[in-house]
Amino acid sequence: QVQLVESGGGLVQAGGSLRLSCAASGSISSINTMAWYRQTPGNQRDLVAVINSGGISNYADFVKGRFTIFRDNAKNTVYLQMNSLKPEDTALYYCDMNNIRSTGRQIYWGQGTQVTVSS
């Protein structure tokens, strides 16, 4: 089992910045991806950014140039630096880990952290 604990959410004005953190603990595979998703009420959960254990990352178009995902493998922690925030970035942000093992893929989710951007 893997536990994911997110932190760093809060209320910020448009144009401001926040940094989210997600710390993983437990049985973590050396081959994994970690990602941030976001969800607003009544809508699906959308991928924001993903990074693999080798440090290769990818972003949704709506955050490119504003958000940066990075990780500290020694701490099993992934971060999401969010700059130039917009009111439409308001959402519940979830951390996700995919453990890749010879037996298959294991998927874990954090509890979510709320980000609210005021105009």
Side-chain angles (χ1 to χ4, degrees):
Q1 282 292 326
V2 171
Q3 295 76 43
L4 301 174
V5 178
E6 299 119 329
S7 61
L11 174 64
V12 65
Q13 287 188 329
S17 298
L18 281 175
R19 178 177 291 184
L20 306 183
S21 300
C22 173
S25 61
S27 180
I28 300 169
S29 170
S30 60
I31 302 173
N32 63 72
T33 63
M34 298 188 78
W36 288 96
Y37 287 74
R38 70 188 190 186
Q39 188 173 25
T40 54
N43 293 306
Q44 67 181 18
R45 193 171 294 187
D46 293 325
L47 177 66
V48 175
V50 59
I51 187 167
N52 67 16
S53 43
I56 297 173
S57 58
N58 204 359
Y59 297 87
D61 286 343
F62 53 78
V63 302
K64 281 182 179 177
R66 299 189 299 123
F67 291 10
T68 302
I69 188 170
F70 58 101
R71 61 190 290 168
D72 183 336
N73 288 336
K75 296 181 179 179
N76 291 317
T77 300
V78 65
Y79 304 90
L80 186 68
Q81 177 66 41
M82 305 185 293
N83 298 329
S84 302
L85 282 161
K86 305 175 181 180
E88 50 264 43
D89 294 319
T90 295
L92 191 57
Y93 283 72
Y94 293 93
C95 175
D96 153 90
M97 170 178 270
N98 279 226
N99 267 346
I100 312 301
R101 301 189 186 276
S102 59
T103 52
R105 181 189 299 264
Q106 301 165 330
I107 302 172
Y108 303 94
W109 290 96
Q111 80 287 355
T113 184
Q114 179 67 39
V115 172
T116 303
V117 184
S118 63
S119 57

